[in-house]
């Protein structure tokens, strides 16, 4: 069941959902949220620090996926009126990148929560571009204590 009533694109609200700040914000929309899944959006801009030669680089895709995990955690905290916690990538494996997205293209990233315990979240994520999967990976994130 989608616990999100309508998608969130207001950047002042997005800033409350994730701990990252400019110039490293890699989320511009919360499209879906429930207890086991979150879907984020990002339109690639030419001023993104991970853009090189008009393409979002591999580290940019990985950071976008990590911030999608942060968005999942942050929204949980937001609905309780608590600031989004900081965290970091603990591990990443099985990264498969089909292609890099270009400036002005819109990414839709789906993260499924596999396990969440004591501040550690294990997820499987995919990044889509126009419905085509362009990246998949498994990621473990850890909340900063």
């Amino acid at each position: 069941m989608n616990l999100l009533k309508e998608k969130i694109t207001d950047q002042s609200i997005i800033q409350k959902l994730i701990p990252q700040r400019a110039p490293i914000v890699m989320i511009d929309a919360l499209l879906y949220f429930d207890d086991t899944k979150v879907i984020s959006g990002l339109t690639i801009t030419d001023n993104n620090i991970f853009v090189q030669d008009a393409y979002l680089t591999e580290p940019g895709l990985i950071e976008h996926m990590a911030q999608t995990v942060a968005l999942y955690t942050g929204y949980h905290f937001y609905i309780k009126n608590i600031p989004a916690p900081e965290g970091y990538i603990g591990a990443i494996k099985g990264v498969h990148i089909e292609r890099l997205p270009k400036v002005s293209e819109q990414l839709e990233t789906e993260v499924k929560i596999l396990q969440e315990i004591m501040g550690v979240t294990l997820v499987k994520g995919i990044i889509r571009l126009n419905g085509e999967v362009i990246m998949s990976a498994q990621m473990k994130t850890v909340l900063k204590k």
Side-chain angles (χ1 to χ4, degrees):
M1 177 167 120
N2 185 1
L3 303 176
L4 185 67
K5 301 292 183 217
E6 60 184 56
K7 67 182 180 178
I8 297 173
T9 58
D10 181 324
Q11 293 312 291
S12 65
I13 296 175
I14 295 292
Q15 285 297 299
K16 293 177 183 178
L17 303 179
I18 59 174
Q20 291 79 10
R21 296 294 171 253
I24 200 163
V25 174
M26 299 291 293
I27 301 284
D28 60 19
L30 172 56
L31 304 173
Y32 179 93
F33 174 88
D34 69 23
D35 288 334
T36 61
K37 180 169 77 172
V38 65
I39 301 175
S40 72
L42 176 68
T43 300
I44 311 300
T45 59
D46 59 0
N47 64 347
N48 185 301
I49 65 170
F50 291 104
V51 167
Q52 186 174 30
D53 299 324
Y55 286 88
L56 185 66
T57 60
E58 291 89 344
L61 287 170
I62 291 168
E63 178 62 24
H64 170 62
M65 185 174 285
Q67 287 190 27
T68 301
V69 179
L71 184 66
Y72 170 81
T73 303
Y75 191 72
H76 271 288
F77 280 71
Y78 177 76
I79 57 181
K80 295 175 186 173
N81 204 27
I82 301 172
E86 291 184 40
Y88 57 92
I89 299 171
I92 186 166
K93 69 178 187 177
V95 177
H96 184 74
I97 298 173
E98 289 291 326
R99 75 176 193 85
L100 300 176
K102 294 186 269 189
V103 167
S104 80
E105 291 186 316
Q106 295 180 335
L107 302 179
E108 188 174 285
T109 300
E110 179 180 319
V111 166
K112 291 184 180 178
I113 310 308
L114 302 177
Q115 189 173 29
E116 191 173 22
I117 185 166
M118 295 173 32
V120 177
T121 305
L122 177 63
V123 305
K124 180 175 169 81
I126 56 172
I127 299 177
R128 290 186 182 98
L129 179 62
N130 299 321
E132 172 194 353
V133 175
I134 63 166
M135 179 184 154
S136 61
Q138 231 183 47
M139 186 176 289
K140 184 184 298 183
T141 61
V142 181
L143 292 181
K144 186 176 176 183
K145 298 200 182 221

